[in-house]
């Protein structure tokens, strides 16, 4: 199953604050960060670890450290609202950027920027794109990642629509999607309903 529904109570509670039209930019940013930390932790639950030791003030302790290269790829611009949260968990993760712009009239995504780290084939790639709506921009970004050699790709989103999930599942059956919710569908402007509105506009106050 490609979709992992993240039903943790803290995730669900935070999602409702993000959905609320009364939530202003300052709180929206804080909540976007909080939900992203929780989603990233869930998406990285099976990250490989390696044995390690440290000296505590009382003696030697055995433990485990992260044993994999993780690359985080925000899809610009709204994915940037999730980036700091993921880097808080993985401060040395490498970061790629993919810039996609959605035509307001047709909802078709076109790429205007891509800069990715080398050697993606051996990395865990976390693509962060908060609103999985038609799936058009996610698919365009996944094309870029696969062409660059990425094999183990996970998408973190905050709200998903059935249309976007279906497209990703059909075109990229190996990609896992982590989302707190699958909403009803899309309106005629291809916004998610009930969704939370335009994520980028709410994050950056460009309403
Ligand atoms: N992008 C958004 O920010 N919101 C939607 O509902 C769909 C795409």
């Amino acid at each position: 199953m490609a979709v992992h529904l993240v039903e943790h109570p803290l995730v669900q509670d935070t999602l409702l604050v993000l959905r609320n039209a009364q939530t202003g930019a300052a709180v929206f940013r804080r909540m976007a960060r909080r939900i992203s930390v929780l989603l990233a932790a869930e998406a990285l639950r099976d990250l490989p670890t390696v044995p390690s030791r440290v000296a505590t003030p009382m003696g030697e302790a055995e433990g485990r450290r992260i044993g994999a290269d993780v690359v985080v790829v925000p899809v610009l611009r709204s994915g940037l609202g999730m980036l700091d949260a993921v880097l808080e968990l993985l401060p040395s993760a490498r970061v790629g950027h993919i810039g996609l712009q959605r035509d307001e009239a047709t909802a078709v995504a076109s790429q205007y920027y891509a800069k990715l780290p080398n050697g993606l084939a051996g990395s865990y790639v976390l693509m962060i794109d908060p609103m999985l709506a038609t799936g058009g921009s996610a698919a365009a970004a996944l094309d870029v990642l696969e062409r660059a050699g990425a094999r183990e790709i996970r998408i973190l989103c905050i709200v998903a629509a059935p249309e976007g999930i279906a497209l990703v599942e059909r075109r990229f059956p190996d990609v896992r999607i982590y989302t707190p919710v699958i909403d009803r569908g899309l309106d005629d402007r291809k916004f998610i309903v009930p969704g939370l509105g335009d994520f980028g506009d709410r994050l950056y106050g460009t309403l």
Side-chain angles (χ1 to χ4, degrees):
M1 183 63 179
V3 182
H4 295 250
L5 267 187
V6 184
E7 291 175 315
H8 194 293
L10 291 173
V11 169
Q12 297 299 324
D13 190 78
T14 308
L15 174 62
L16 210 60
V17 181
L18 288 168
R19 282 195 193 273
N20 189 340
Q22 304 300 317
T23 300
V27 174
F28 192 89
R29 279 178 201 148
R30 269 214 326 274
M31 294 300 122
R33 190 186 174 103
R34 176 180 300 175
I35 203 166
S36 303
V37 167
L38 295 164
L39 289 171
E42 187 60 32
L44 297 171
R45 187 184 271 280
D46 62 343
L47 206 58
T49 55
V50 289
S52 186
R53 290 170 165 272
V54 291
T56 80
M58 311 298 290
E60 282 264 300
E62 291 182 357
R64 308 194 69 80
R65 284 187 297 107
I66 302 294
D69 180 56
V70 179
V71 173
V72 191
V73 182
V75 177
L76 306 182
R77 82 185 152 145
S78 54
L80 288 176
M82 304 175 75
L83 179 61
D84 284 352
V86 182
L87 292 181
E88 195 167 307
L89 296 179
L90 294 163
S92 38
R94 300 186 295 154
V95 180
H97 293 86
I98 297 178
L100 296 170
Q101 190 144 18
R102 188 164 103 134
D103 184 299
E104 294 296 334
T106 62
V108 173
S110 57
Q111 180 192 321
Y112 62 88
Y113 184 75
K115 182 85 182 171
L116 298 171
N118 291 325
L120 291 188
S123 307
Y124 283 72
V125 177
L126 276 192
M127 185 176 116
I128 47 182
D129 190 7
M131 306 299 283
L132 181 58
T134 62
S137 53
L142 289 168
D143 274 331
V144 174
L145 290 172
E146 286 200 344
R147 276 201 302 273
R151 290 203 206 109
E152 179 60 56
I153 308 175
R154 294 156 191 209
I155 304 179
L156 297 194
C157 59
I158 294 175
V159 182
E163 293 86 338
I165 288 174
L167 182 68
V168 171
E169 277 184 336
R170 182 164 54 77
R171 294 227 12 236
F172 304 92
D174 296 332
V175 170
R176 299 194 212 168
I177 302 167
Y178 290 82
T179 182
V181 72
I182 303 172
D183 267 7
R184 264 202 311 282
L186 304 176
D187 71 3
D188 50 5
R189 292 189 316 143
K190 310 293 184 202
F191 274 74
I192 301 178
V193 183
L196 51 73
D198 189 305
F199 191 94
D201 282 348
R202 294 194 63 191
L203 186 72
Y204 294 117
T206 47
L207 289 162

